Structures are given as C-alpha cells and as structure tokens.
Amino acid sequence: MKPIKIRNLNYPAKILLAWKEAIGGNKEIRTFLLKSKYKELGVFCFALINDKSSREWLLKNNYAHLLALIHGVEGKTDAWYWLKKNEFTTLFHMARGGDSWKESLDWLKERDKILYGITLQMEKIKDEIDEKNNDPHKINP
C-alpha cells in the first residue's frame, strides 16, 4: 500500500490502521506506536482523552497540527481555522468530522476510507468523554 500524505507527512496505511486501533483503546498497539518512529501517534491517543502532559508533548515536539486536530474534534473553531490557514486540509476535515460535521465526513469518505475510519473513531471517543462529563451521576458535588 502507498503511504498516505497528510500535507508533508507520510504515514504508511498499516500505521494509520494501527493508529485507529490505538485510538479505540488497543493498548498493545498504542504501546507499539509509542516505541516506534511514529511515537506522536501513540502520544496523540493519550492527548485525545485529555492527558495534559501528552498535549504539552505534542506542542513541544512540533506536532501542533495533531494538537489542533484534537482541539478541532472538541469543537474549537479556532483550531479549524488554524488547520485551514496552515494548509492542513485533511486534518481540518478530520477535526470537523470528529465533531460530527456531515460535510467533512462526506469529504473524507470520498477521498480516503482509512482517514474516514480514524475520524469516526475519534468522534466516538470524544462522544464517550462528553457523555461521561454530562452524566449527572458522575459529577462531583
């Protein structure tokens, strides 16, 4: 399989599939990513679930675009604008798709099934986090 380009980044399809599984909670694959030359994708998994030190690591290690992707999935429009302005078109659509924007999900589905699948996985994780945060039985008094 041909590597998939995200602007100037090249990730082999098998690494992107591993990333999707790691985002979904597969600890073995996440550990593999953390120990590989694709460490940023493993760190991303922790950052996605609101781990502050992982978010800081992404920023400090020149992966601001991945942090912007997370912020975009969280619905922060300034992150969408930053991704678009810096020509991360695919990540822009992944961010909006992860925030349930149908137009971006359709855009991804037409162009790349793997990135579409990753986006759906991120959307699911963020929806689960939102659901836990909005559960009145889980809110501390």
Side-chain angles (χ1 to χ4, degrees):
M1 287 181 144
K2 235 169 127 178
I4 295 170
K5 280 191 138 190
I6 300 175
R7 193 169 158 219
N8 60 345
L9 309 171
N10 285 315
Y11 291 113
K14 67 181 182 178
I15 294 300
L16 291 173
L17 291 170
W19 186 30
K20 177 185 176 290
E21 290 301 310
I23 288 169
N26 187 316
K27 292 176 184 173
E28 287 179 42
I29 294 177
R30 185 180 62 211
T31 299
F32 160 77
L33 288 172
L34 288 168
K35 292 179 180 180
S36 75
K37 69 179 186 176
Y38 306 104
K39 179 179 181 175
E40 71 275 11
L41 300 180
V43 172
F44 177 94
C45 297
F46 289 107
L48 183 65
I49 57 171
N50 300 320
D51 180 74
K52 185 179 177 185
S53 63
S54 296
R55 289 178 179 223
E56 290 170 0
W57 187 94
L58 289 172
L59 197 55
K60 288 179 188 172
N61 288 278
N62 298 318
Y63 296 103
H65 55 285
L66 293 179
L67 186 56
L69 172 58
I70 292 169
H71 287 285
V73 169
E74 293 170 344
K76 297 176 181 160
T77 56
D78 57 331
W80 299 342
Y81 297 128
W82 185 90
L83 288 166
K84 191 131 186 164
K85 181 181 127 194
N86 288 284
E87 299 179 10
F88 286 103
T89 305
T90 301
L91 293 181
F92 165 80
H93 285 289
M94 290 176 74
R96 285 180 23 130
D99 192 39
S100 304
W101 283 71
K102 184 180 177 345
E103 298 84 6
S104 285
L105 287 169
D106 290 344
W107 187 92
L108 287 162
K109 190 175 185 179
E110 287 176 20
R111 285 165 180 79
D112 192 289
K113 300 288 189 246
I114 295 173
L115 297 178
Y116 174 70
I118 291 168
T119 301
L120 292 176
Q121 190 73 282
M122 288 188 299
E123 179 185 32
K124 179 182 176 215
I125 296 301
K126 292 314 288 182
D127 286 350
E128 288 172 1
I129 290 169
D130 288 345
E131 192 174 302
K132 284 179 190 172
N133 289 340
N134 293 326
D135 184 347
H137 298 100
K138 304 228 178 193
I139 297 173
N140 292 325

